[in-house]
Amino acid sequence: MKIPSHHVISIIQVVYRRARRFIVAVLLIILIEQLWAHMQASSLASLRQHSHQLMQLTTQQAALSAQPLLMANEQEPLQRFVDQLLLHPFVAAASIHNHYGQRLVSTAANLSVSDTADGHTILVESIHDDQRRLGFLQVVIDDRQLLDSPNKTHVYLSYLGQFLLVFALLAGILIAITFNRWRYRLPNK
């Protein structure tokens, strides 16, 4: 049995159109995944940067609070102040140095240089009055503790976003099926 050439051509045209639509759909899915990955990376970097900016601001405020204590040059109130800084879960260690760099007070949890290089950030803020520099406040931040809450929030929102992508994909499939039915519906006569 011989198939007429116009049937073969129409079959090839139908296959070509469907393959073209499939390729466009796959490219759109790849594009959505790439945009999703870029959005996740940039939002996580933004959360980390914002958290570190808040810690720098907190360190500046702590240095301003330590100024009158350092001017009075009393060890006990300075030690209480540094111990209070350690009550925050993201503060690993804190110390106050005089203007020569000599340590006046510090927390009991002193970290070595290798500890601070791995997962810790050291913030140093100068303590000064109007005329002169009085000393320095050094705060060691535990990055894992600091970023724990933002990371959990980011993972939760990413989880919800994945559901939204799946729902959008299902909605697109249903819309395509509906338009396809309308397109090929035979008129009732």
Side-chain angles (χ1 to χ4, degrees):
M1 180 164 113
K2 189 176 181 182
I3 300 176
S5 64
H6 67 280
H7 287 301
V8 173
I9 292 173
S10 65
I11 290 172
I12 290 173
Q13 287 175 343
V14 168
V15 169
Y16 172 73
R17 280 194 301 251
R18 290 192 179 173
R20 186 177 60 198
R21 287 183 199 144
F22 179 74
I23 290 171
V24 168
V26 167
L27 289 175
L28 284 174
I29 289 173
I30 291 172
L31 178 67
I32 288 171
E33 280 297 319
Q34 291 297 318
L35 288 173
W36 180 258
H38 176 70
M39 185 264 322
Q40 279 190 312
S42 64
S43 67
L44 189 58
S46 178
L47 278 173
R48 287 181 178 171
Q49 180 185 8
H50 181 69
S51 296
H52 282 289
Q53 286 174 345
L54 287 176
M55 281 314 305
Q56 288 175 342
L57 182 63
T58 302
T59 305
Q60 289 172 357
Q61 290 174 342
L64 287 173
S65 297
Q67 177 197 7
L69 300 174
L70 192 59
M71 288 178 73
N73 200 17
E74 294 181 16
Q75 296 292 324
E76 189 177 320
L78 280 173
Q79 185 63 48
R80 279 196 312 263
F81 177 77
V82 171
D83 290 338
Q84 281 182 336
L85 286 176
L86 198 61
L87 294 177
H88 297 288
F90 42 80
V91 175
S95 61
I96 295 180
H97 303 263
N98 65 10
H99 63 283
Y100 296 114
Q102 298 166 338
R103 183 177 298 169
L104 298 176
V105 292
S106 64
T107 58
N110 288 326
L111 300 174
S112 67
V113 175
S114 63
D115 290 337
T116 58
D118 185 35
H120 292 83
T121 302
I122 300 175
L123 298 175
V124 177
E125 189 65 38
S126 65
I127 302 171
H128 51 82
D129 62 2
D130 292 335
Q131 295 99 12
R132 61 193 164 110
R133 180 174 292 156
L134 301 173
F136 302 94
L137 170 66
Q138 177 182 357
V139 179
V140 179
I141 305 299
D142 185 357
D143 289 336
R144 288 179 292 257
Q145 285 289 102
L146 177 65
L147 299 175
D148 186 42
S149 178
N151 283 340
K152 285 180 182 177
T153 302
H154 186 263
V155 167
Y156 176 71
L157 291 176
S158 297
Y159 179 71
L160 290 179
Q162 290 172 353
F163 275 113
L164 288 176
L165 285 176
V166 169
F167 290 148
L169 182 66
L170 291 175
I173 290 171
L174 291 175
I175 289 171
I177 290 171
T178 302
F179 283 138
N180 202 21
R181 284 186 184 164
W182 287 348
R183 186 170 147 195
Y184 292 115
R185 182 179 286 173
L186 295 174
N188 294 329
K189 290 189 179 182

